[in-house]
Amino acid sequence: MIQSLLDFQNLNPDQIFSLINSALELKKQQSRIGRFLENRTIIGTGALLFFEPSTRTRFSFETACVRAGVAPLIMDSLAGSSLEKGESIEDTMLNLEAMRPLFFVVRCTDQTELREITEKLKTPVINAGWGKKGHPTQALLDVTTLFERWGELKNKNVLFVGDVKHSRVFSSHLELSKIMGYKLGYCAPSEFGLGEFESLTAGVKSFDQIRHALDWADAVITLRVQKERHDSISAASGEDYRHRYGLNLERAKLLKPSGVILHPGPINYGVEIEKDLLKDSRSVILQLVENGVFIREVVIKSVISGDLK
Ligand code: CP
């Protein structure tokens, strides 16, 4: 069977640790002179299809492709492709497959039937953010960064603050935390509650007050209010949200000295997090972006070699 990475369904802790350790090993090698000249042979192409906007994921997959010796072929909007003429995403991918890329990387909306399309292809597909269903490489880069800090993950408390209802990052952590044994909690306005994730959250702690949540947390992942996925204007946006849930210097004092502050980006500074916290020694927000390239290089190599089977 072709092994894609749409979610973590078929992966076990050893395989996840192998991805994490390989990414951190690549990071160590980064300082070695010539590391990026090792892959002078282009082994094939990777088709990167971004049907929703992206900065971090798109550029890190592109960078990871180059480092892995793969030429990235990029479709970064509907404009300029035959999707504009009404061709479906399925037909687009079947036609691109005929050009024999080594893999697809896809960012798309919830409405895209990515699993069904993947089953019709012989080429592996890596989920690069699928509506609010999941963003597995983001969850992997988060845990890689936490493991780098702590040297362990088991029984650590990872808190989400904010718009969990619309968060594919939260969705992927729901899966990954069960495999890797870390605990999840969330603190969110009622209208950003669990929504359709409700049935998947046995054992996930819920907090009404951010101060209690921060006291519990070993790491806090602040989330952007995802207005583009809201059906209507939310009462919890803007000033009220900042007042009740925003992470600022004062609130960050409640987090342990060994605590870690994450945000998947992009950030609405002054809403979910104050800009000053980027300078806090516990913030790993840009380290996440750096580590994202390594984990994506490892995922690409694993998908090409079939190691995820
Ligand atoms: N974290 C993340 O997925 O960012 P982008 O939307 O910029 O890719």
Side-chain angles (χ1 to χ4, degrees):
M1 197 183 86
I2 301 293
Q3 185 62 65
S4 294
L5 182 69
L6 297 187
D7 51 38
F8 296 115
Q9 256 178 36
N10 299 317
L11 296 184
N12 61 42
D14 287 346
Q15 287 170 305
I16 303 282
F17 269 128
S18 169
L19 294 173
I20 292 172
N21 285 321
S22 301
L24 294 175
E25 184 53 35
L26 283 180
K27 189 173 185 179
K28 264 193 227 152
Q29 292 171 13
Q30 184 185 29
S31 54
R32 250 184 30 220
I33 294 169
R35 143 95 173 102
F36 297 132
L37 296 177
E38 275 170 12
N39 298 301
R40 271 169 293 187
T41 310
I42 300 292
I43 59 170
T45 59
L48 277 49
L49 313 181
F50 281 78
F51 303 118
E52 279 201 331
S54 168
T55 297
R56 281 147 289 272
T57 313
R58 189 196 122 167
F59 280 88
S60 64
F61 266 113
E62 278 186 68
T63 308
C65 279
V66 172
R67 291 183 186 176
V70 174
L73 307 179
I74 300 144
M75 183 183 280
D76 65 359
S77 70
L78 305 194
S81 77
S82 287
L83 288 155
E84 274 195 308
K85 296 184 263 180
E87 188 166 34
S88 66
I89 290 180
E90 179 178 324
D91 268 346
T92 300
M93 291 178 73
L94 284 167
N95 278 271
L96 293 177
E97 182 174 55
M99 301 175 201
R100 301 282 177 262
L102 295 167
F103 54 85
F104 287 101
V105 171
V106 181
R107 169 162 292 195
C108 58
T109 65
D110 281 311
Q111 285 68 46
T112 305
E113 298 193 328
L114 190 59
R115 193 173 304 282
E116 287 76 4
I117 297 172
T118 299
E119 281 163 9
K120 291 179 187 164
L121 297 167
K122 296 186 186 68
T123 310
V125 177
I126 302 169
N127 172 359
W130 178 10
K132 55 185 185 308
K133 292 185 200 294
H135 194 354
T137 59
Q138 177 70 44
L140 282 173
L141 71 88
D142 291 339
V143 295
T144 298
T145 306
L146 293 174
F147 184 77
E148 188 179 28
R149 278 261 159 151
W150 295 328
E152 59 181 337
L153 294 170
K154 209 163 180 60
N155 293 326
K156 291 288 190 183
N157 293 338
V158 177
L159 172 72
F160 278 82
V161 177
D163 194 357
V164 291
K165 182 176 179 178
H166 302 97
S167 174
R168 52 191 170 212
V169 182
F170 181 66
S171 171
S172 284
H173 276 282
L174 279 175
E175 273 190 280
L176 191 55
S177 61
K178 287 178 190 136
I179 300 170
M180 302 310 285
Y182 57 95
K183 295 180 186 147
L184 288 188
Y186 72 95
C187 182
S190 53
E191 60 265 58
F192 295 172
L194 291 177
E196 60 197 62
F197 300 135
E198 189 108 41
S199 59
L200 305 170
T201 52
V204 176
K205 262 181 111 62
S206 160
F207 295 92
D208 291 334
Q209 305 247 352
I210 192 164
R211 61 196 163 91
H212 296 148
L214 289 169
D215 192 46
W216 171 84
D218 294 306
V220 53
I221 303 182
T222 51
L223 293 173
R224 183 173 63 88
V225 178
Q226 297 185 59
K227 292 190 186 134
E228 72 276 19
R229 298 192 204 283
H230 292 199
D231 298 330
S232 57
I233 307 274
S234 168
S237 53
E239 184 55 28
D240 178 53
Y241 182 88
R242 185 184 71 78
H243 179 67
R244 287 161 63 202
Y245 300 98
L247 192 61
N248 53 33
L249 290 172
E250 203 49 41
R251 283 191 173 136
K253 288 181 189 160
L254 300 169
L255 189 66
K256 301 174 176 71
S258 60
V260 188
I261 299 169
L262 302 86
H263 191 306
I267 299 175
N268 296 310
Y269 289 112
V271 181
E272 64 265 14
I273 191 166
E274 294 296 329
K275 201 164 199 169
D276 287 344
L277 281 170
L278 271 185
K279 292 185 221 134
D280 189 298
S281 60
R282 295 167 298 177
S283 165
V284 293
I285 292 171
L286 291 177
Q287 201 177 316
L288 293 173
V289 181
E290 183 185 13
N291 286 346
V293 181
F294 299 112
I295 200 74
R296 286 172 178 134
E297 182 178 345
V298 170
V299 166
I300 284 171
K301 287 174 173 169
S302 302
V303 162
I304 293 173
S305 64
D307 284 352
L308 292 182
K309 273 183 212 171

